[in-house]
Amino acid sequence: MNKCLPCNNLKPYLKKLLSNFLVYFPVKINQEIFFTSDKNLLDKFYPGLPQIPPKNFFLPHNENILYDNKVPKPLTTKSSGHPTIIFAIHPLDIHALTILDKIFLKKYSDFYYNQRRKNVYIVGLGPYTFDTDFNCDLFLEENGDTYEVILKNKKADFLLDYDHIFTKSIFDFDTKEHTHKKEPLFNDPNKIAQAIKSSYHSSIWDDLAQIELGCGICNYSCPLHYSYKIEDNFCFNKPHTTCRTRTWTNNFQSDLPMRDKIYNWYYDKFVKFYELTGHIGCIDCGRCIKYCPAKINFKHVLKTILNDYDKSLSTQKK
């Protein structure tokens, strides 16, 4: 592409996009980061990781679904010929959305997710990309006092029709040197899965049950957690029509003992999700650690489980 965006032009670029398209962008107000389309909040623009990840655009926390003559129609999605742009998504969240796309668009095609995904362009912004599982339309990669332009979808070239905003890059920018460095703890997902499976009777789950609050914030803030519940309500004034509601749910909304709920949280992320998708159910964004009111760090728990697993293997060999 050989284009770059000077850092000083980032806000003017966003302002130009807002004047031509429906654009959602991250802002920070009272220490909270969230996406908005309110042009009046442009001065609050703040790239970062919001507590509620951008999966909410495509898999809303709560949505009403109308079945009319057995034809599904999303109530909350308005069809429009004009593109919608989600601007300055963090590379970790792009990574998560790419994995969710594989699930909801390919493996288990979801009508509502698909409808929302159409005609939406994702503009990422951050210090690195991923070798694989990184599907956005345009990425602005930090490089000193500029952002290097990486056009990943040729259909999104209209986003670059601002010659006075962009400049020609004078660098021979090697994206391979700016790829995400994976957390070493996750290097062997198969071993993690086996360790979790063998840990069901471990006392660590009893210990965690003493401090776990069961609030489910870790699930709601996770960019990869997609469990939901379905409820039906009949519309009596419309024969053969029912309003179906789909709402996020979490591991702690069950009647199981707390130690089993906690175990299931780890099992779902590091066994079930891995066997289903080939990825562990974690992108290492840190939200579940940051927002946990019980101050539980799942990495510490995982290290303990892996250490116990290694010890058990050593004992078996003897």
Side-chain angles (χ1 to χ4, degrees):
M1 174 54 61
N2 296 325
K3 277 189 177 183
C4 68
L5 177 70
C7 290
N8 291 336
N9 285 354
L10 183 61
K11 269 194 178 180
Y13 176 46
L14 174 55
K15 188 175 181 180
K16 285 289 185 182
L17 292 177
L18 283 165
S19 66
N20 293 297
F21 307 101
L22 172 60
V23 182
Y24 292 92
F25 58 97
V27 297
K28 187 176 185 180
I29 299 177
N30 297 327
Q31 303 305 310
E32 180 185 358
I33 302 174
F34 60 92
F35 278 89
T36 181
S37 60
D38 188 347
K39 299 177 183 179
N40 296 320
L41 295 179
L42 180 59
D43 62 323
K44 304 291 185 181
F45 172 67
Y46 188 91
L49 286 167
Q51 180 176 0
I52 302 300
K55 72 175 182 183
N56 193 42
F57 285 108
F58 310 108
L59 186 68
H61 170 254
N62 184 278
E63 64 176 327
N64 291 327
I65 300 168
L66 179 67
Y67 280 87
D68 189 4
N69 295 326
K70 298 182 180 181
V71 178
K73 298 177 183 179
L75 292 179
T76 54
T77 300
K78 296 180 179 179
S79 60
S80 171
H82 302 289
T84 296
I85 299 167
I86 308 178
F87 188 83
I89 294 185
H90 191 280
L92 285 171
D93 281 334
I94 294 175
H95 179 47
L97 284 174
T98 305
I99 296 172
L100 288 180
D101 282 351
K102 290 181 178 180
I103 298 170
F104 283 94
L105 298 182
K106 297 178 182 178
K107 192 172 185 68
Y108 303 106
S109 181
D110 183 275
F111 175 82
Y112 309 100
Y113 186 98
N114 197 306
Q115 290 298 304
R116 290 186 175 87
R117 201 69 175 83
K118 289 180 179 178
N119 218 26
V120 171
Y121 290 83
I122 291 176
V123 177
L125 183 147
Y128 53 77
T129 58
F130 283 73
D131 286 326
T132 58
D133 300 312
F134 195 69
N135 181 22
C136 64
D137 299 288
L138 176 68
F139 191 75
L140 305 175
E141 189 161 319
E142 295 175 10
N143 184 26
D145 58 357
T146 66
Y147 293 99
E148 296 295 327
V149 174
I150 304 174
L151 183 66
K152 299 180 72 67
N153 178 7
K154 292 183 179 179
K155 292 182 179 179
D157 59 359
F158 68 91
L159 296 171
L160 302 176
D161 291 340
Y162 305 94
D163 292 337
H164 61 291
I165 295 289
F166 294 94
T167 61
K168 186 175 181 179
S169 178
I170 60 175
F171 299 101
D172 184 15
F173 192 67
D174 186 359
T175 58
K176 293 181 180 179
E177 296 181 0
H178 297 261
T179 53
H180 180 257
K181 302 299 187 294
K182 188 170 65 172
E183 162 65 64
L185 182 63
F186 303 145
N187 281 342
D188 191 345
N190 187 60
K191 179 181 178 181
I192 294 174
Q194 295 304 317
I196 294 294
K197 286 180 180 179
S198 67
S199 72
Y200 178 74
H201 296 290
S202 171
S203 62
I204 193 171
W205 310 119
D206 299 296
D207 296 338
L208 288 171
Q210 299 302 312
I211 60 174
E212 174 62 62
L213 300 176
C215 62
I217 289 176
C218 50
N219 285 144
Y220 294 134
S221 62
C222 176
L224 282 180
H225 186 81
Y226 60 87
S227 295
Y228 52 81
K229 62 181 179 180
I230 299 290
E231 292 183 350
D232 287 334
N233 294 294
F234 291 103
C235 301
F236 293 103
N237 60 334
K238 293 183 179 181
H240 311 296
T241 300
T242 182
C243 182
R244 173 166 288 184
T245 303
R246 180 161 75 172
T247 308
W248 290 357
T249 187
N250 66 78
N251 296 86
F252 300 96
Q253 293 179 341
S254 72
D255 297 327
L256 294 172
M258 181 58 75
R259 59 118 40 220
D260 287 351
K261 294 178 183 179
I262 299 169
Y263 173 80
N264 286 343
W265 188 91
Y266 288 82
Y267 186 91
D268 285 352
K269 278 190 171 298
F270 299 106
V271 180
K272 188 176 179 181
F273 198 98
Y274 173 61
E275 292 177 348
L276 178 69
T277 67
H279 305 270
I280 60 170
C282 175
I283 59 165
D284 196 24
C285 66
R287 288 179 173 100
C288 59
I289 298 173
K290 178 179 180 180
Y291 297 110
C292 177
K295 307 301 180 183
I296 296 174
N297 188 323
F298 81 93
K299 289 186 179 181
H300 295 166
V301 176
L302 207 56
K303 287 177 182 177
T304 299
I305 294 298
L306 287 168
N307 287 336
D308 290 346
Y309 181 67
D310 286 337
K311 290 177 182 179
S312 67
L313 291 180
S314 297
T315 303
Q316 291 174 15
K317 288 180 180 179
K318 292 179 181 180

